[in-house]
Amino acid sequence: MQSVARRETYAAIKTRHQRPPAGVPPPIPPMTSSTDWSASRAFSPLLLLLLLSSAPVCLGDLVDGSRLFPAGVRYEYESTTTVLTSGSADNRDPEVGHRVVGRLSVENLWPAITDTAGEKLLRLHFKSLKLQTWSKKSKNDINRQFIDRKSRIDRFSDQPFFLHWRNGHIENLYASSANSLTEENFKKGIAGLFQFQLSNQQTVEYSTLGKCNVTYSKINGNSVSKRIDGCVSPTTLPPEIKHPEKLWQGTLRSKREGLLKYNHESFIDVFLDENHEYSTSFMNEVGASISSKQHIELKETKPNSDIIEANTFEEAINQLEKQLKLKLEKQNLSPKHEVKNCKHYDSCNKLSDVVKKYHDSLLDSELGKSKSAYGAIKVIDAIVNSDTKTIKNVLIDKKNEDIIVQLYDLLGAALNENAHKASMETLVFTDAKSIEKIERYLWSASIKFNPKIEIIKSLISITDEKLTSKKVMDTLFNTVTAMASRLDRYNHTDTNALLCGELVVKTLERLEKCKQDDDECILTYIRALSNLKHPLSIEVLLSFAQHGNRMTSAYAMKTIKMFGPSLWSSQVLKYCNNIFFQLVKEQDSSTRAIALAILLESDPDYDLLKHVVEWLATPGEGYELKQYALELLKEMANQNKTSAKLLRTVLVRERLNHYGNMAQRGLSSCFSRKFINYNNITGLVKNSQQIYSGVTKRGSVDIILEHKNIKYDLCSFGMFTTGLGYFTSLYDDSGKTDTSDEANLPATAGLELIVFGVHIRPFIMFSSQGQLMGHVWAGTGSDKTPIIQGISQMIEHLEYVPLSNGITAELNVKGTLSLDISGQIEMSLWNKNAQSVIEKNGGVSIQGSLKLDTDLVTDEVDFALITEGLLHMHSDAEFAKKIVLCMRIVFVDTNVTTTVSKNQKVHGLPHKSYTTTTRTHPVSGRTFALNQMVNEFCNTIHSR
């Protein structure tokens, strides 16, 4: 009976000793191990009796280390806090950083009585604090030394601060008013070192890092390792900006580990190391890293007679305040954010000065180049820090007239309240002279991934006005639908979903009001539906696809394809089947081709593949459409191993693998080629050319990035033509006369562009035979002519990384794309040949910084990437006796340049440190083959 009673008494004491602190969730039960006495079943009554007769602090040794830091002793430690910053791991150069060293005394002022075992009042006091930085004189990086610097650390308060310690957790910190937030956060960082457990267990701790999961593992009799992960940042930090797509965020890898060594009454050594490394998704070399190390080492012990006698902790604090004649402020360990920006230092660069500095980078001649993208980021940053009046003054300045359109690009990229207000006050939507500026602002704004709902509503109100320009209305409706869709997709709330739903209804209502023969009106709102990507619009689009004319049906089917497999229901696949096999009515060949592409990308079954291959031998079907269908089958087999295996099975079982099915003779093509395979990113260029009468009826070149099995559509450049039947008799050697409507349509040609999933209104080059011949005789296409130009922001990332030492690092990354798509064509009716080139030039700049900014010192790493992507499409044609068409898709040689700069500034002193490292990586160009017939045509033409 006595043994049972003692066991119950021990359990009660243990439970009381481990009660969780107020406001902190109870820790996860400790893991069973040989050192966890509470889990041992072989517990002798004699040992239990000895434990119960001992002082409570001995029980603490077995549970959570309550015996450490007994009252009446002062422990003197040497403290070192080191922070180093550098480039990423793949671009590691000499680091820049600083450290704070000093003497730290620790005393327990309140020896808790039995009924409050597990609580302490620790007094911590710093003396002889010094700031040290790397010595510039040490050229050998391995043996570089820290040297003392005069700094504002001398202004730190000489007053001690106090910790409420309970069962291994720091519940609160008590201190008099600090002279700066840097001092306050530094003390919180030191306080976090005194959170510890001495047994194997997992728990939750609150510190300068926020709320973290902590795992303690006992190494031997006097040391314990500490691993910290799963941290949720403190709520005291400002809001962050993170693109929801991982590709545009980059990767931040963090590691936090510690080691505690102790003796029978105190710490001997405490180490807490953490490392953070950021790199962009595109190149591991582009990024930055931080290393933070905290270390305290016991140097000596002294007697201490400062003891407070109190029944509760609150009484102890009250007595302490009376003794010190100070008001102690109760604080948790969450760091207070130090707002450090250009406004804080009163060093903001004026927008007018920044625009003047980068004026030449924004000229028309620099669009599509990295110089333009680099300067754009600097101007965007200045716009964000400017008020409406300042922005308007820059817009109306006559010195900026030659870059005014680019400035509206950048206002759309910044897209904050001041930038939007300045744009709305300077743009006149009813003025024909402002169309280019209006469209450039709207195009840039439509790509912004995190638009504000107030700005969207402002633009929606303009759509209700009567605008004279159909181009502006088209672009405006595309913009508001794209912005609303992104807002709902990336920040799904009831309010955002309601706005998106209202726009869907509004678009469908306007579509219904369009006249049946008004293709321009219908296509405007079909493009808007493609931006919204809402399930409510699918039924309407299917109706247009099946019953519309050749143009509206193709656009409707293309929009459904853009929605992606997630919205391809059984109803959609049924319609696609009816359209391709023309089970309801005759369909336009482009509509049929898109319908087949959807079917083949939806895990086709045996019967579907069988019917498609059998259809290839159908007489009376256009041979170019059959050639295109065969190319789609080959592309499906290249992209999907399961479908490829099923296709082989169909060909063998049904005996369809013969010349009549698998050897078509057209020029149409559909293929994808890799141009990047680096850092888990695959870059694809996808070409689709549907040929009719020897010319491209509908074609596109798509740039796609694939990262961790997720595809990102960067850019799609499409071309469409009708009525160019002049070449029919030359190319079609079948002896049959084309009786379709296509041969009798008016001569038209246009270009369409999709950037980051957003439809840009099409650009019509000519819409009649007369306009076409006018271009031919005037030679207006002989000179390089811009098709679309603009600057857009594709990356925006702002993240705060709290460190265990109390400093918060700011990670800021921006990326811009400067786009220039232009074309040139030369045609000779005398020589009966033509040459054309379409150039898609994109300049890319990614700039980022990792900054640790305090009142003492600022350490910063700036990193940058600049490159140019030059994709050119060449066409050479001869039509003297028979069409010979050579098409080439060429990636031009380019370079990728990376730069890492490291800066350090000790505030209050002239001391500065600055280093820069630049590397250039050449990227070889390549030419993509289309198919064997085109290769033969190219050999024929170029051999002459």
Side-chain angles (χ1 to χ4, degrees):
M1 292 296 293
Q2 289 181 351
S3 177
V4 173
R6 287 170 181 165
R7 191 175 296 114
E8 291 175 348
T9 304
Y10 173 73
I13 293 175
K14 178 184 173 186
T15 302
R16 181 173 69 246
H17 195 66
Q18 285 189 314
R19 78 173 172 273
V24 177
I28 301 171
M31 298 181 291
T32 303
S33 71
S34 59
T35 58
D36 189 354
W37 288 83
S38 64
S40 176
R41 300 191 181 200
F43 216 73
S44 69
L46 179 59
L47 181 56
L48 189 58
L49 181 63
L50 289 173
L51 286 170
L52 290 172
S53 63
S54 303
V57 290
C58 294
L59 280 175
D61 183 27
L62 301 177
V63 182
D64 59 3
S66 296
R67 66 174 173 80
L68 298 187
F69 300 106
V73 183
R74 176 181 298 166
Y75 301 92
E76 297 281 348
Y77 292 90
E78 185 178 275
S79 170
T80 304
T81 299
T82 307
V83 183
L84 298 175
T85 58
S86 186
S88 64
D90 293 341
N91 197 358
R92 188 60 55 84
D93 290 315
E95 301 159 313
V96 62
H98 69 275
R99 72 181 184 185
V100 176
V101 299
R103 195 83 167 184
L104 174 66
S105 66
V106 182
E107 303 141 302
N108 179 10
L109 303 182
W110 179 53
I113 58 178
T114 305
D115 64 341
T116 56
E119 286 189 280
K120 300 179 188 297
L121 173 57
L122 299 180
R123 176 170 66 183
L124 277 64
H125 195 184
F126 269 110
K127 297 179 180 178
S128 304
L129 281 178
K130 294 179 181 179
L131 175 71
Q132 299 179 338
T133 65
W134 287 119
S135 171
K136 284 185 177 181
K137 296 180 180 179
S138 293
K139 295 184 179 180
N140 185 345
D141 296 322
I142 298 176
N143 298 318
R144 289 177 74 179
Q145 308 234 339
F146 282 101
I147 61 173
D148 294 345
R149 298 286 185 188
K150 290 183 179 180
S151 69
R152 295 175 180 173
I153 202 168
D154 298 333
R155 302 178 186 178
F156 277 19
S157 170
D158 193 34
Q159 295 293 335
F161 58 101
F162 306 88
L163 309 180
H164 182 190
W165 185 98
R166 181 176 2 201
N167 296 324
H169 296 274
I170 302 299
E171 293 211 329
N172 289 295
L173 179 147
Y174 294 82
S176 57
S177 298
N179 292 328
S180 67
L181 290 179
T182 300
E183 176 188 346
E184 188 173 314
N185 291 334
F186 176 71
K187 290 178 178 178
K188 291 179 178 180
I190 293 297
L193 295 177
F194 291 85
Q195 296 203 96
F196 62 90
Q197 303 292 332
L198 300 184
S199 61
N200 294 332
Q201 61 176 281
Q202 294 175 333
T203 186
V204 174
E205 289 183 357
Y206 293 80
S207 66
T208 56
L209 302 174
K211 179 184 177 182
C212 301
N213 298 322
V214 184
T215 301
Y216 290 92
S217 302
K218 199 166 179 64
I219 298 175
N220 53 42
N222 69 337
S223 59
V224 177
S225 67
K226 181 177 184 177
R227 188 178 74 250
I228 306 173
D229 53 26
C231 292
V232 178
S233 295
T235 57
T236 54
L237 297 180
E240 297 181 331
I241 300 174
K242 290 185 179 180
H243 199 292
E245 305 290 359
K246 294 291 185 182
L247 178 69
W248 309 114
Q249 285 185 13
T251 303
L252 179 65
R253 293 173 288 271
S254 299
K255 184 179 181 180
R256 300 178 176 99
E257 292 181 330
L259 178 64
L260 291 79
K261 295 182 180 179
Y262 57 94
N263 57 23
H264 64 285
E265 63 176 21
S266 69
F267 292 155
I268 302 174
D269 267 315
V270 179
F271 300 88
L272 186 56
D273 294 353
E274 59 180 316
N275 294 279
H276 305 273
E277 182 180 327
Y278 174 83
S279 59
T280 63
S281 299
F282 306 98
M283 289 189 72
N284 287 332
E285 296 92 332
V286 182
S289 60
I290 316 171
S291 172
S292 170
K293 300 179 185 297
Q294 289 177 281
H295 178 212
I296 59 172
E297 181 181 4
L298 182 64
K299 291 301 182 181
E300 61 178 321
T301 59
K302 298 178 181 179
N304 174 46
S305 59
D306 294 337
I307 303 295
I308 295 177
E309 295 182 2
N311 293 322
T312 64
F313 182 83
E314 288 72 18
E315 289 183 17
I317 285 293
N318 290 335
Q319 290 188 32
L320 189 60
E321 287 182 324
K322 292 178 181 178
Q323 289 180 9
L324 298 175
K325 296 181 180 180
L326 288 174
K327 178 61 178 176
L328 298 178
E329 181 184 353
K330 180 180 177 181
Q331 306 173 23
N332 58 31
L333 296 189
S334 296
K336 291 185 179 179
H337 181 61
E338 303 183 59
V339 181
K340 305 291 185 181
N341 53 32
C342 62
K343 293 179 181 178
H344 172 81
Y345 293 120
D346 196 23
S347 60
C348 286
N349 293 321
K350 292 182 180 180
L351 177 60
S352 57
D353 294 336
V354 176
V355 170
K356 181 179 180 181
K357 180 177 181 180
Y358 294 99
H359 176 277
D360 292 347
S361 299
L362 299 179
L363 292 171
D364 290 345
S365 58
E366 298 299 327
L367 288 172
K369 300 178 182 179
S370 57
K371 181 180 179 180
S372 172
Y374 181 86
I377 293 179
K378 304 298 184 182
V379 178
I380 291 172
D381 284 339
I383 290 174
V384 170
N385 289 319
S386 300
D387 56 26
T388 303
K389 182 179 179 181
T390 301
I391 297 172
K392 287 178 63 177
N393 289 337
V394 170
L395 293 175
I396 62 178
D397 190 341
K398 292 185 178 181
K399 295 179 181 178
N400 298 325
E401 286 182 351
D402 53 347
I403 60 169
I404 186 64
V405 182
Q406 280 75 266
L407 289 178
Y408 279 105
D409 284 338
L410 305 186
L411 291 177
L415 203 66
N416 60 6
E417 291 84 351
N418 291 334
H420 180 68
K421 187 176 180 181
S423 300
M424 293 301 98
E425 291 179 1
T426 54
L427 292 173
V428 182
F429 279 74
T430 56
D431 182 11
K433 296 180 180 180
S434 299
I435 289 179
E436 185 180 9
K437 294 183 285 187
I438 293 170
E439 289 198 304
R440 289 281 285 267
Y441 174 74
L442 295 174
W443 286 333
S444 183
S446 67
I447 297 172
K448 187 82 170 180
F449 82 89
N450 57 346
K452 293 179 172 59
I453 191 169
E454 295 80 9
I455 295 177
I456 299 176
K457 289 181 178 179
S458 168
L459 293 174
I460 290 176
S461 65
I462 303 177
T463 64
D464 296 327
E465 301 176 7
K466 290 185 179 181
L467 302 180
T468 55
S469 171
K470 292 182 179 180
K471 292 181 180 180
V472 172
M473 177 56 77
D474 193 338
T475 300
L476 180 60
F477 224 86
N478 272 307
T479 298
V480 295
T481 51
M483 293 170 74
S485 176
R486 287 174 184 270
L487 183 67
D488 182 40
R489 188 163 70 251
Y490 293 150
N491 183 20
H492 185 72
T493 64
D494 291 342
T495 302
N496 296 342
L498 179 62
L499 177 67
C500 190
E502 289 175 349
L503 267 175
V504 174
V505 173
K506 186 173 185 176
T507 305
L508 292 174
E509 288 176 348
R510 292 201 173 191
L511 181 58
E512 188 177 1
K513 292 178 181 179
C514 291
K515 297 178 181 179
Q516 289 187 354
D517 59 347
D518 190 352
D519 289 349
E520 189 175 355
C521 176
I522 293 173
L523 295 181
T524 294
Y525 297 110
I526 287 181
R527 282 190 291 272
L529 292 176
S530 73
N531 289 331
L532 287 166
K533 295 182 175 63
H534 201 284
L536 286 176
S537 61
I538 288 180
E539 190 171 344
V540 174
L541 291 170
L542 287 174
S543 177
F544 272 104
Q546 185 158 288
H547 303 293
N549 61 33
R550 60 176 304 281
M551 183 172 289
T552 58
S553 65
Y555 258 93
M557 186 55 66
K558 181 180 179 181
T559 297
I560 293 172
K561 189 174 187 300
M562 287 181 63
F563 282 10
S566 62
L567 294 180
W568 294 344
S569 63
S570 57
Q571 180 191 21
V572 171
L573 298 181
K574 181 180 178 180
Y575 267 79
C576 289
N577 188 75
N578 292 341
I579 289 171
F580 175 69
F581 290 107
Q582 302 188 111
L583 302 181
V584 177
K585 54 169 280 192
E586 289 190 6
Q587 299 285 347
D588 173 69
S589 60
S590 295
T591 307
R592 296 176 68 190
I594 300 171
L596 179 60
I598 292 176
L599 291 171
L600 296 182
E601 291 179 22
S602 302
D603 295 325
D605 58 18
Y606 185 95
D607 288 339
L608 176 63
L609 293 178
K610 173 188 171 183
H611 292 152
V612 172
V613 177
E614 288 176 340
W615 171 86
L616 290 174
T618 305
E621 288 283 1
Y623 59 87
E624 285 291 1
L625 180 58
K626 290 196 288 185
Q627 172 65 35
Y628 189 78
L630 181 61
E631 293 285 316
L632 286 175
L633 285 171
K634 293 177 180 178
E635 180 65 13
M636 175 202 70
N638 289 333
Q639 299 298 324
N640 190 318
K641 293 182 179 179
T642 302
S643 296
K645 184 178 179 181
L646 185 60
L647 177 61
R648 286 194 298 268
T649 303
V650 169
L651 294 175
V652 173
R653 285 185 183 177
E654 304 296 333
R655 299 182 179 180
L656 296 172
N657 191 21
H658 54 75
Y659 181 86
N661 292 320
M662 309 306 291
Q664 303 298 326
R665 68 183 183 89
L667 285 173
S668 297
S669 63
C670 179
F671 65 86
S672 60
R673 301 285 188 269
K674 291 182 180 180
F675 67 93
I676 293 177
N677 192 4
Y678 175 79
N679 200 24
N680 295 321
I681 293 179
T682 301
L684 298 174
V685 54
K686 188 171 183 178
N687 176 71
S688 173
Q689 300 292 331
Q690 189 182 352
I691 305 297
Y692 174 79
S693 299
V695 294
T696 299
K697 177 186 177 183
R698 182 169 292 276
S700 67
V701 176
D702 305 339
I703 307 297
I704 301 169
L705 291 183
E706 187 173 340
H707 181 245
K708 296 182 179 179
N709 297 322
I710 300 176
K711 291 185 177 181
Y712 302 90
D713 296 320
L714 295 188
C715 180
S716 175
F717 178 81
M719 182 171 63
F720 56 89
T721 66
T722 63
L724 300 181
Y726 167 74
F727 300 107
T728 303
S729 60
L730 295 175
Y731 181 68
D732 189 355
D733 56 2
S734 63
K736 299 180 180 180
T737 303
D738 191 340
T739 59
S740 68
D741 292 338
E742 295 188 42
N744 302 316
L745 292 171
T748 60
L751 302 169
E752 52 189 6
L753 186 67
I754 302 174
V755 181
F756 295 106
V758 178
H759 249 300
I760 306 297
R761 69 163 180 82
F763 295 83
I764 306 300
M765 294 184 287
F766 54 84
S767 57
S768 67
Q769 190 78 22
Q771 289 183 8
L772 170 61
M773 296 310 297
H775 285 301
V776 172
W777 294 116
T780 50
S782 300
D783 296 327
K784 185 178 176 181
T785 305
I787 300 170
I788 184 172
Q789 298 174 318
I791 305 173
S792 303
Q793 184 167 266
M794 58 182 184
I795 297 176
E796 185 179 11
H797 186 87
L798 177 63
E799 185 173 359
Y800 296 95
V801 185
L803 305 180
S804 56
N805 57 28
I807 300 175
T808 299
E810 180 184 283
L811 174 63
N812 195 344
V813 187
K814 285 186 173 65
T816 55
L817 169 67
S818 178
L819 188 65
D820 175 32
I821 299 179
S822 57
Q824 181 178 353
I825 183 169
E826 295 181 354
M827 181 181 292
S828 172
L829 296 179
W830 181 265
N831 295 317
K832 296 186 178 181
N833 61 21
Q835 300 83 34
S836 68
V837 59
I838 295 178
E839 297 182 358
K840 298 172 66 175
N841 298 330
V844 176
S845 176
I846 300 175
Q847 298 175 45
S849 66
L850 189 60
K851 182 186 294 186
L852 293 88
D853 207 349
T854 69
D855 284 339
L856 294 179
V857 61
T858 296
D859 296 318
E860 182 175 4
V861 176
D862 297 319
F863 51 91
L865 175 150
I866 57 172
T867 187
E868 295 172 355
L870 312 176
L871 177 63
H872 296 173
M873 299 165 54
H874 297 268
S875 296
D876 297 287
E878 295 184 356
F879 43 91
K881 296 180 180 179
K882 183 178 179 180
I883 282 289
V884 180
L885 177 65
C886 171
M887 293 182 63
R888 291 169 294 150
I889 299 178
V890 180
F891 265 107
V892 182
D893 291 347
T894 188
N895 291 314
V896 177
T897 302
T898 60
T899 303
V900 177
S901 301
K902 282 160 285 189
N903 315 278
Q904 184 178 72
K905 164 68 177 174
V906 177
H907 298 301
L909 290 177
H911 171 75
K912 290 183 179 179
S913 175
Y914 183 86
T915 60
T916 300
T917 303
T918 301
R919 292 180 171 88
T920 300
H921 311 260
V923 179
S924 300
R926 62 187 66 184
T927 301
F928 299 106
L930 272 72
N931 54 39
Q932 184 175 353
M933 183 177 291
V934 172
N935 288 347
E936 292 174 358
F937 285 163
C938 289
N939 292 335
T940 300
I941 291 177
H942 293 156
S943 65
R944 300 170 187 169

